[in-house]
Amino acid sequence: SFHVTGVQTCALPICETYNIKYRIFRLANVLGEGDKKISKKKNALQFLIKQIVENKDVELYYGGNVLRDYIYVDDVCQAIHHCMENSSFNEIINIGSGKPYLFLNIIKSAIRKSKSKSKIIEIQPTHFHNVVQVKNSYLDTTKLKNFGYNCKYGIEEILDKLLANLEADVKYLKSNYLSHEIASLREATEPNRIAKKEEGPEVPTGK
């Protein structure tokens, strides 16, 4: 990414000039339930999984025929900690699964697991996307494995966690919406109920 390239370009000469020890960690696409700011441009996979849970159609560049490397947030934390304890200094270490996952297969799996009615729609990438993104991207994690760390979560396990979390959120929102509707209905009917109570019961006239 631009950020990692910038760090390497700026930080490495400083570290080498002043003999500062360093470790640079390059991360794959990180997934986790705690990300509340997902969008089409930030964490697109989780954004699409949310649409799948909501039974919305999903639009995929190249029909999803692209390769990506995904890693669970817990693995990121544990891998970095492991490398801080076990790797040598002055290293650039890739933190990822090292597996080229086909994006289309991930989406199909999410639809199947969630029993969603979502349909996959192929769209052409924008000019901006073509400029800033490569079609296929995954990391060489040989160095990470040589330092003794292997990821604990595969993509299917990550999907299970994300789907369970999103499905719970949807149920919570529906429950809150239903409670709000019931409360609104009660508020709307309360004046009529009070008015009838104040009028009192009808008194038979004997006619």
Side-chain angles (χ1 to χ4, degrees), residues 32-50:
E33 302 94 322
D35 192 346
K36 303 301 181 183
K37 296 182 179 180
I38 56 176
S39 69
K40 287 183 178 180
K41 295 182 179 180
K42 179 186 177 294
N43 208 332
L45 177 57
Q46 283 189 228
F47 174 81
L48 292 173
I49 292 174
K50 183 174 183 293

Side-chain angles (χ1 to χ4, degrees), residues 67-133:
L67 301 176
R68 290 291 183 269
D69 188 346
Y70 290 101
I71 184 171
Y72 189 54
V73 62
D74 284 10
D75 266 321
V76 173
C77 297
Q78 292 174 26
I80 291 175
H81 181 265
H82 180 88
C83 289
M84 294 293 288
E85 296 290 330
N86 297 281
S87 71
S88 53
F89 285 107
N90 304 342
E91 294 280 2
I92 299 174
I93 304 170
N94 292 334
I95 306 293
S97 69
K99 298 177 181 178
Y101 293 114
L102 184 66
F103 197 83
L104 177 60
N105 287 347
I106 298 174
I107 294 298
K108 285 182 176 180
S109 183
I111 292 174
R112 175 179 53 79
K113 287 174 179 286
S114 62
K115 297 181 174 61
S116 173
K117 298 177 181 178
S118 300
K119 295 179 181 179
I120 298 171
I121 301 171
E122 179 176 356
I123 61 172
Q124 293 303 310
T126 62
H127 173 70
F128 176 81
H129 181 87
N130 282 331
V131 171
V132 302
Q133 285 277 12

Side-chain angles (χ1 to χ4, degrees), residues 5-20 22 24:
T5 303
V7 169
Q8 291 176 202
T9 303
C10 297
L12 280 178
I14 294 173
C15 291
E16 291 170 354
T17 300
Y18 295 99
N19 197 29
I20 300 171
Y22 66 86
I24 295 175

Side-chain angles (χ1 to χ4, degrees), residues 148-167:
Y149 190 83
N150 291 286
C151 290
K152 297 177 174 61
Y153 300 93
I155 192 63
E156 294 298 325
E157 293 169 292
I158 298 172
L159 275 180
D160 289 340
K161 288 178 175 291
L162 296 178
L163 286 168
N165 181 70
L166 287 169
E167 287 168 356

